[in-house]
Amino acid sequence: EPEVTQTPSHQVTQMGQEVILRCVPISNHLYFYWYRQILGQKVEFLVSFYNNEISEKSEIFDDQFSVERPDGSNFTLKIRSTKLEDSAMYFCASSEFELRNQPQHFGDGTRLSIL
Amino acid sequence: RKEVEQDPGPFNVPEGATVAFNCTYSNSASQSFFWYRQDCRKEPKLLMSVYSSGNEDGRFTAQLNRASQYISLLIRDSKLSDSATYLCVVNHDYKLSFGAGTTVTVRA
């Protein structure tokens, strides 16, 4: 079964450094998403992306965050200047069609630890 | 009011038992509904979509009540492998809103 893959599985970064999290969505999917989950808390939406544009973003997704689809397969999340509170599990997801009735398929996540 | 609220549990049940739990959502314009399961420190995995008429997938039955903004999940003949956190997930426009999850532990 096709799956969403994320790298790295664990990233340790010094506060203030830039970090890029990478995702390869399922190949025929057109809609891409990033979520985060702080330890012990619920999964939170960050951003959705379609046709090389952000479709929707949450309040969490401030100017420190950006997303990009640099080629036909990768979808990246960049955090420009990391803060301690950015420590979380980051999940990438994709869906084939517009979200309304389509479930999203999640990658197994990148654990980001900010020191 | 939280967008999606769930009873956190935990529900601790013996193998073979039936367990049921609910969630409520605040946005009446929500368009689609799902149950995901999440094992400890793993990614959410789709369990089932929830349709207005209610639907069943093997031992799992989901119900949706749009008037009351309420979704339920029932697990019959529970297995040890059903132990997980069950996430109620609601879609509005281009984003999913997650509940904090209901923890189910099935004991031998």
Short mmCIF file of all heavy atoms in Angstrom, two decimals, chain A residues 32-67:
data_model
loop_
_atom_site.label_atom_id
_atom_site.label_comp_id
_atom_site.label_asym_id
_atom_site.label_seq_id
_atom_site.Cartn_x
_atom_site.Cartn_y
_atom_site.Cartn_z
N PHE A 32 -1.78 18.46 0.23
CA PHE A 32 -0.74 18.14 1.20
C PHE A 32 -0.95 18.99 2.45
O PHE A 32 -1.43 20.13 2.38
CB PHE A 32 0.64 18.42 0.60
CG PHE A 32 0.81 17.88 -0.79
CD1 PHE A 32 1.08 18.74 -1.84
CD2 PHE A 32 0.69 16.53 -1.04
CE1 PHE A 32 1.21 18.24 -3.13
CE2 PHE A 32 0.82 16.03 -2.33
CZ PHE A 32 1.08 16.90 -3.38
N TYR A 33 -0.54 18.42 3.58
CA TYR A 33 -0.82 19.05 4.87
C TYR A 33 0.34 18.82 5.83
O TYR A 33 1.03 17.82 5.75
CB TYR A 33 -2.08 18.44 5.50
CG TYR A 33 -3.25 18.30 4.54
CD1 TYR A 33 -3.37 17.16 3.75
CD2 TYR A 33 -4.21 19.29 4.41
CE1 TYR A 33 -4.42 17.02 2.85
CE2 TYR A 33 -5.27 19.16 3.51
CZ TYR A 33 -5.36 18.01 2.74
OH TYR A 33 -6.40 17.88 1.85
N TRP A 34 0.48 19.75 6.77
CA TRP A 34 1.35 19.54 7.92
C TRP A 34 0.53 19.74 9.19
O TRP A 34 -0.29 20.66 9.27
CB TRP A 34 2.52 20.53 7.92
CG TRP A 34 3.61 20.18 6.96
CD1 TRP A 34 3.84 20.73 5.74
CD2 TRP A 34 4.64 19.20 7.15
NE1 TRP A 34 4.93 20.16 5.15
CE2 TRP A 34 5.44 19.22 5.99
CE3 TRP A 34 4.97 18.31 8.18
CZ2 TRP A 34 6.55 18.38 5.84
CZ3 TRP A 34 6.06 17.49 8.03
CH2 TRP A 34 6.84 17.53 6.87
N TYR A 35 0.81 18.85 10.14
CA TYR A 35 0.22 18.92 11.46
C TYR A 35 1.34 18.80 12.48
O TYR A 35 2.43 18.29 12.17
CB TYR A 35 -0.76 17.76 11.69
CG TYR A 35 -1.98 17.81 10.81
CD1 TYR A 35 -1.95 17.32 9.51
CD2 TYR A 35 -3.18 18.34 11.29
CE1 TYR A 35 -3.09 17.37 8.70
CE2 TYR A 35 -4.32 18.38 10.49
CZ TYR A 35 -4.25 17.90 9.20
OH TYR A 35 -5.37 17.96 8.41
N ARG A 36 1.06 19.22 13.70
CA ARG A 36 2.03 18.95 14.76
C ARG A 36 1.29 18.43 15.99
O ARG A 36 0.09 18.66 16.17
CB ARG A 36 2.83 20.20 15.11
CG ARG A 36 2.09 21.16 16.01
CD ARG A 36 2.99 22.26 16.51
NE ARG A 36 2.26 23.08 17.48
CZ ARG A 36 2.69 24.23 17.95
NH1 ARG A 36 3.86 24.72 17.56
NH2 ARG A 36 1.98 24.91 18.82
N GLN A 37 2.04 17.72 16.83
CA GLN A 37 1.49 17.21 18.06
C GLN A 37 2.54 17.36 19.16
O GLN A 37 3.56 16.65 19.14
CB GLN A 37 1.07 15.74 17.93
CG GLN A 37 0.33 15.21 19.15
CD GLN A 37 -0.19 13.80 18.93
OE1 GLN A 37 0.37 13.02 18.17
NE2 GLN A 37 -1.29 13.46 19.59
N ILE A 38 2.30 18.31 20.02
CA ILE A 38 3.16 18.47 21.19
C ILE A 38 2.89 17.29 22.12
O ILE A 38 1.74 16.83 22.24
CB ILE A 38 2.88 19.81 21.88
CG1 ILE A 38 3.29 20.96 20.94
CG2 ILE A 38 3.60 19.91 23.20
CD1 ILE A 38 2.85 22.33 21.39
N LEU A 39 3.94 16.80 22.76
CA LEU A 39 3.83 15.62 23.61
C LEU A 39 2.69 15.75 24.61
O LEU A 39 2.60 16.72 25.35
CB LEU A 39 5.15 15.40 24.34
CG LEU A 39 5.27 14.10 25.13
CD1 LEU A 39 5.19 12.90 24.21
CD2 LEU A 39 6.58 14.08 25.92
N GLY A 40 1.79 14.76 24.57
CA GLY A 40 0.67 14.75 25.51
C GLY A 40 -0.52 15.59 25.10
O GLY A 40 -1.52 15.65 25.82
N GLN A 41 -0.41 16.24 23.93
CA GLN A 41 -1.51 17.10 23.49
C GLN A 41 -2.12 16.57 22.19
O GLN A 41 -1.68 15.56 21.65
CB GLN A 41 -1.00 18.53 23.30
CG GLN A 41 -0.51 19.15 24.61
CD GLN A 41 -0.13 20.60 24.46
OE1 GLN A 41 -0.63 21.30 23.56
NE2 GLN A 41 0.73 21.08 25.33
N LYS A 42 -3.14 17.27 21.73
CA LYS A 42 -3.82 16.79 20.53
C LYS A 42 -3.07 17.18 19.27
O LYS A 42 -2.20 18.05 19.28
CB LYS A 42 -5.25 17.35 20.49
CG LYS A 42 -5.30 18.84 20.31
CD LYS A 42 -6.74 19.32 20.22
CE LYS A 42 -6.78 20.81 19.93
NZ LYS A 42 -8.14 21.30 19.74
N VAL A 43 -3.43 16.53 18.19
CA VAL A 43 -2.89 16.87 16.88
C VAL A 43 -3.47 18.21 16.43
O VAL A 43 -4.69 18.44 16.53
CB VAL A 43 -3.25 15.77 15.85
CG1 VAL A 43 -2.75 16.15 14.46
CG2 VAL A 43 -2.67 14.43 16.29
N GLU A 44 -2.60 19.10 15.94
CA GLU A 44 -3.04 20.44 15.54
C GLU A 44 -2.70 20.69 14.07
O GLU A 44 -1.57 20.43 13.64
CB GLU A 44 -2.33 21.51 16.37
CG GLU A 44 -2.60 21.43 17.86
CD GLU A 44 -1.75 22.42 18.62
OE1 GLU A 44 -0.52 22.22 18.71
OE2 GLU A 44 -2.32 23.41 19.13
N PHE A 45 -3.63 21.23 13.37
CA PHE A 45 -3.43 21.60 11.96
C PHE A 45 -2.48 22.78 11.86
O PHE A 45 -2.57 23.75 12.61
CB PHE A 45 -4.79 21.96 11.36
CG PHE A 45 -4.73 22.60 10.00
CD1 PHE A 45 -4.54 21.82 8.87
CD2 PHE A 45 -4.87 23.97 9.86
CE1 PHE A 45 -4.50 22.41 7.61
CE2 PHE A 45 -4.83 24.56 8.61
CZ PHE A 45 -4.64 23.78 7.48
N LEU A 46 -1.56 22.69 10.90
CA LEU A 46 -0.67 23.82 10.61
C LEU A 46 -1.04 24.48 9.29
O LEU A 46 -1.30 25.68 9.22
CB LEU A 46 0.79 23.36 10.55
CG LEU A 46 1.42 22.89 11.85
CD1 LEU A 46 2.86 22.43 11.59
CD2 LEU A 46 1.41 23.99 12.89
N VAL A 47 -1.05 23.68 8.21
CA VAL A 47 -1.18 24.27 6.88
C VAL A 47 -1.64 23.22 5.88
O VAL A 47 -1.36 22.03 6.04
CB VAL A 47 0.18 24.86 6.45
CG1 VAL A 47 1.22 23.77 6.26
CG2 VAL A 47 0.08 25.74 5.23
N SER A 48 -2.38 23.68 4.88
CA SER A 48 -2.73 22.83 3.75
C SER A 48 -2.21 23.48 2.48
O SER A 48 -2.08 24.72 2.40
CB SER A 48 -4.23 22.59 3.67
OG SER A 48 -4.92 23.82 3.54
N PHE A 49 -1.95 22.69 1.46
CA PHE A 49 -1.22 23.14 0.28
C PHE A 49 -1.78 22.43 -0.93
O PHE A 49 -1.94 21.20 -0.93
CB PHE A 49 0.25 22.79 0.48
CG PHE A 49 1.21 23.38 -0.50
CD1 PHE A 49 1.75 24.63 -0.30
CD2 PHE A 49 1.63 22.65 -1.61
CE1 PHE A 49 2.67 25.18 -1.18
CE2 PHE A 49 2.54 23.18 -2.51
CZ PHE A 49 3.07 24.44 -2.28
N TYR A 50 -2.08 23.20 -1.96
CA TYR A 50 -2.61 22.63 -3.20
C TYR A 50 -2.20 23.50 -4.37
O TYR A 50 -2.25 24.73 -4.28
CB TYR A 50 -4.14 22.51 -3.14
CG TYR A 50 -4.79 22.18 -4.45
CD1 TYR A 50 -4.60 20.92 -5.02
CD2 TYR A 50 -5.56 23.12 -5.14
CE1 TYR A 50 -5.18 20.61 -6.25
CE2 TYR A 50 -6.13 22.81 -6.36
CZ TYR A 50 -5.94 21.56 -6.91
OH TYR A 50 -6.50 21.25 -8.12
N ASN A 51 -1.79 22.87 -5.43
CA ASN A 51 -1.46 23.60 -6.66
C ASN A 51 -0.41 24.68 -6.39
O ASN A 51 -0.54 25.81 -6.87
CB ASN A 51 -2.74 24.21 -7.24
CG ASN A 51 -2.61 24.55 -8.71
OD1 ASN A 51 -1.81 23.97 -9.43
ND2 ASN A 51 -3.39 25.52 -9.15
N ASN A 52 0.57 24.30 -5.60
CA ASN A 52 1.70 25.19 -5.27
C ASN A 52 1.33 26.43 -4.49
O ASN A 52 2.04 27.44 -4.53
CB ASN A 52 2.46 25.59 -6.55
CG ASN A 52 3.36 24.48 -7.03
OD1 ASN A 52 3.97 23.79 -6.24
ND2 ASN A 52 3.40 24.30 -8.33
N GLU A 53 0.21 26.32 -3.79
CA GLU A 53 -0.20 27.46 -2.95
C GLU A 53 -0.72 26.96 -1.61
O GLU A 53 -1.27 25.86 -1.53
CB GLU A 53 -1.37 28.20 -3.63
CG GLU A 53 -0.99 29.05 -4.79
CD GLU A 53 -2.19 29.83 -5.32
OE1 GLU A 53 -3.34 29.52 -4.94
OE2 GLU A 53 -1.96 30.77 -6.10
N ILE A 54 -0.58 27.80 -0.60
CA ILE A 54 -1.20 27.50 0.67
C ILE A 54 -2.71 27.71 0.54
O ILE A 54 -3.16 28.76 0.06
CB ILE A 54 -0.62 28.40 1.78
CG1 ILE A 54 0.83 27.98 2.08
CG2 ILE A 54 -1.47 28.31 3.05
CD1 ILE A 54 1.54 28.88 3.05
N SER A 55 -3.48 26.70 0.95
CA SER A 55 -4.94 26.81 0.90
C SER A 55 -5.49 27.38 2.20
O SER A 55 -6.43 28.15 2.20
CB SER A 55 -5.57 25.44 0.68
OG SER A 55 -5.01 24.81 -0.44
N GLU A 56 -4.90 26.95 3.27
CA GLU A 56 -5.38 27.34 4.59
C GLU A 56 -4.21 27.21 5.55
O GLU A 56 -3.36 26.35 5.38
CB GLU A 56 -6.51 26.38 5.01
CG GLU A 56 -7.14 26.62 6.36
CD GLU A 56 -8.24 27.65 6.34
OE1 GLU A 56 -8.89 27.79 5.28
OE2 GLU A 56 -8.44 28.31 7.37
N LYS A 57 -4.16 28.07 6.54
CA LYS A 57 -3.15 27.94 7.57
C LYS A 57 -3.74 28.32 8.92
O LYS A 57 -4.70 29.09 8.99
CB LYS A 57 -1.91 28.78 7.26
CG LYS A 57 -2.19 30.27 7.14
CD LYS A 57 -0.91 31.00 6.76
CE LYS A 57 -1.18 32.50 6.65
NZ LYS A 57 0.06 33.25 6.30
N SER A 58 -3.16 27.78 9.97
CA SER A 58 -3.67 28.07 11.31
C SER A 58 -2.88 29.21 11.93
O SER A 58 -1.88 29.68 11.36
CB SER A 58 -3.55 26.82 12.18
OG SER A 58 -2.19 26.58 12.50
N GLU A 59 -3.33 29.60 13.10
CA GLU A 59 -2.64 30.68 13.84
C GLU A 59 -1.23 30.27 14.23
O GLU A 59 -0.36 31.12 14.43
CB GLU A 59 -3.44 31.02 15.10
CG GLU A 59 -4.78 31.65 14.81
CD GLU A 59 -5.66 31.73 16.05
OE1 GLU A 59 -5.25 31.23 17.11
OE2 GLU A 59 -6.75 32.29 15.95
N ILE A 60 -1.00 28.98 14.35
CA ILE A 60 0.33 28.49 14.72
C ILE A 60 1.32 28.79 13.59
O ILE A 60 2.49 29.10 13.83
CB ILE A 60 0.31 26.97 14.97
CG1 ILE A 60 -0.71 26.62 16.05
CG2 ILE A 60 1.68 26.45 15.34
CD1 ILE A 60 -1.01 25.15 16.12
N PHE A 61 0.86 28.74 12.38
CA PHE A 61 1.71 28.86 11.18
C PHE A 61 2.01 30.34 10.95
O PHE A 61 1.40 30.99 10.10
CB PHE A 61 0.99 28.24 9.98
CG PHE A 61 1.88 27.99 8.80
CD1 PHE A 61 2.58 26.81 8.68
CD2 PHE A 61 2.01 28.94 7.80
CE1 PHE A 61 3.40 26.57 7.59
CE2 PHE A 61 2.83 28.72 6.69
CZ PHE A 61 3.52 27.52 6.59
N ASP A 62 2.95 30.85 11.73
CA ASP A 62 3.30 32.27 11.61
C ASP A 62 4.46 32.46 10.63
O ASP A 62 4.80 31.53 9.89
CB ASP A 62 3.62 32.85 13.00
CG ASP A 62 4.81 32.18 13.66
OD1 ASP A 62 5.65 31.60 12.94
OD2 ASP A 62 4.92 32.25 14.89
N ASP A 63 5.04 33.63 10.63
CA ASP A 63 6.07 33.97 9.63
C ASP A 63 7.33 33.12 9.76
O ASP A 63 8.17 33.14 8.86
CB ASP A 63 6.45 35.44 9.76
CG ASP A 63 5.31 36.34 9.33
OD1 ASP A 63 4.38 35.83 8.67
OD2 ASP A 63 5.36 37.54 9.67
N GLN A 64 7.48 32.42 10.87
CA GLN A 64 8.65 31.55 11.03
C GLN A 64 8.52 30.26 10.22
O GLN A 64 9.50 29.55 10.01
CB GLN A 64 8.82 31.18 12.51
CG GLN A 64 9.15 32.36 13.41
CD GLN A 64 10.46 33.01 13.03
OE1 GLN A 64 11.46 32.34 12.79
NE2 GLN A 64 10.45 34.33 12.92
N PHE A 65 7.31 29.97 9.79
CA PHE A 65 7.05 28.73 9.07
C PHE A 65 6.88 29.01 7.58
O PHE A 65 6.33 30.04 7.18
CB PHE A 65 5.75 28.08 9.58
CG PHE A 65 5.83 27.51 10.97
CD1 PHE A 65 5.59 28.31 12.07
CD2 PHE A 65 6.13 26.17 11.18
CE1 PHE A 65 5.65 27.80 13.36
CE2 PHE A 65 6.18 25.64 12.47
CZ PHE A 65 5.95 26.46 13.55
N SER A 66 7.33 28.05 6.77
CA SER A 66 7.04 28.11 5.34
C SER A 66 6.97 26.69 4.80
O SER A 66 7.52 25.76 5.40
CB SER A 66 8.10 28.93 4.59
OG SER A 66 9.37 28.34 4.72
N VAL A 67 6.27 26.54 3.70
CA VAL A 67 6.18 25.24 3.04
C VAL A 67 6.56 25.42 1.58
O VAL A 67 6.39 26.49 1.00
CB VAL A 67 4.78 24.60 3.15
CG1 VAL A 67 4.51 24.13 4.56
CG2 VAL A 67 3.70 25.55 2.66
#
